[in-house]
């Protein structure tokens, strides 16, 4: 679910649930847009919850995730937007820490700005600048 296309159109990124019996296990996955083998993107103990987007240079993938092992699909615990190298590696949180669900985030083509909607009592729309890998994140 939550499919996104790399900037050059060559790869797809999305979230998979390999075990339908355990809804808590989610994997960030990529594959060639023309078809082919699936590749798991290593994200350590961070479990993708929803939404994916590629950085402007195609080197990083942003995703909404839960950082708490075993958190249920409806849990808001530790929900943040994370960035990870497209080939896998150590994920980096953007530090939003709203303790609410994050929806509909979109990355600007320049790769420096991101906008998203949160499900807090204020139902705010956020815009972030200077994302990790580009510079210091700010709101």
């Amino acid at each position: 679910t939550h499919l996104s296309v790399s900037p050059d159109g060559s790869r797809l990124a999305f979230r998979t649930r390999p075990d339908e019996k355990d809804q808590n296990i989610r994997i960030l996955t990529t594959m060639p847009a023309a078809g082919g083998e699936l590749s798991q993107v290593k994200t350590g103990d961070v479990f993708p919850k929803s939404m994916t987007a590629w950085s402007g240079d195609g080197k990083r993938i942003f995703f909404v995730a839960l950082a708490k092992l075993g958190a249920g699909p409806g849990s808001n615990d530790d929900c943040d937007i994370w960035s990870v190298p497209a080939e896998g590696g150590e994920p980096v949180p953007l530090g939003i820490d709203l303790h609410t669900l994050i929806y509909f985030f979109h990355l600007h083509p320049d790769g420096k700005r991101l906008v998203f909607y949160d499900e807090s009592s204020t139902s705010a729309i956020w815009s972030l600048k200077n994302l990790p890998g580009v510079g210091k994140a700010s709101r």
Side-chain angles (χ1 to χ4, degrees):
T1 60
H2 304 289
L3 176 74
S4 64
V5 181
S6 65
D8 67 2
S10 69
R11 301 205 48 87
L12 306 174
F14 49 94
R15 176 190 69 139
T16 59
R17 286 192 311 228
D19 184 354
E20 288 301 318
K21 294 177 185 171
D22 188 347
Q23 299 291 311
N24 293 322
I25 303 299
R26 301 173 181 111
I27 297 172
L28 183 60
T29 305
T30 63
M31 69 176 286
E37 294 293 318
L38 300 177
S39 298
Q40 178 180 343
V41 178
K42 303 291 184 191
T43 58
D45 291 333
V46 179
F47 298 95
K49 183 173 179 68
S50 66
M51 305 303 298
T52 60
W54 292 82
S55 62
D57 61 8
K59 292 182 180 179
R60 300 190 72 79
I61 301 173
F62 293 87
F63 59 99
V64 174
L66 299 175
K68 182 184 261 185
L69 181 62
S75 172
N76 297 339
D77 293 341
D78 298 322
C79 189
D80 204 336
I81 297 174
W82 295 73
S83 168
V84 67
E87 301 304 318
E90 191 63 34
V92 177
L94 298 187
I96 298 166
D97 200 23
L98 297 175
H99 297 287
T100 186
L101 296 177
I102 296 171
Y103 293 103
F104 307 112
F105 83 85
H106 295 278
L107 193 62
H108 190 278
D110 69 9
K112 297 179 182 178
R113 294 175 279 171
L114 176 103
V115 65
F116 67 92
Y117 169 83
D118 78 77
E119 193 181 64
S120 66
S121 60
T122 59
S123 296
I125 294 177
W126 294 79
S127 176
L128 300 177
K129 300 177 187 176
N130 302 319
L131 302 172
V134 178
K136 185 177 178 195
S138 62
R139 295 182 193 186

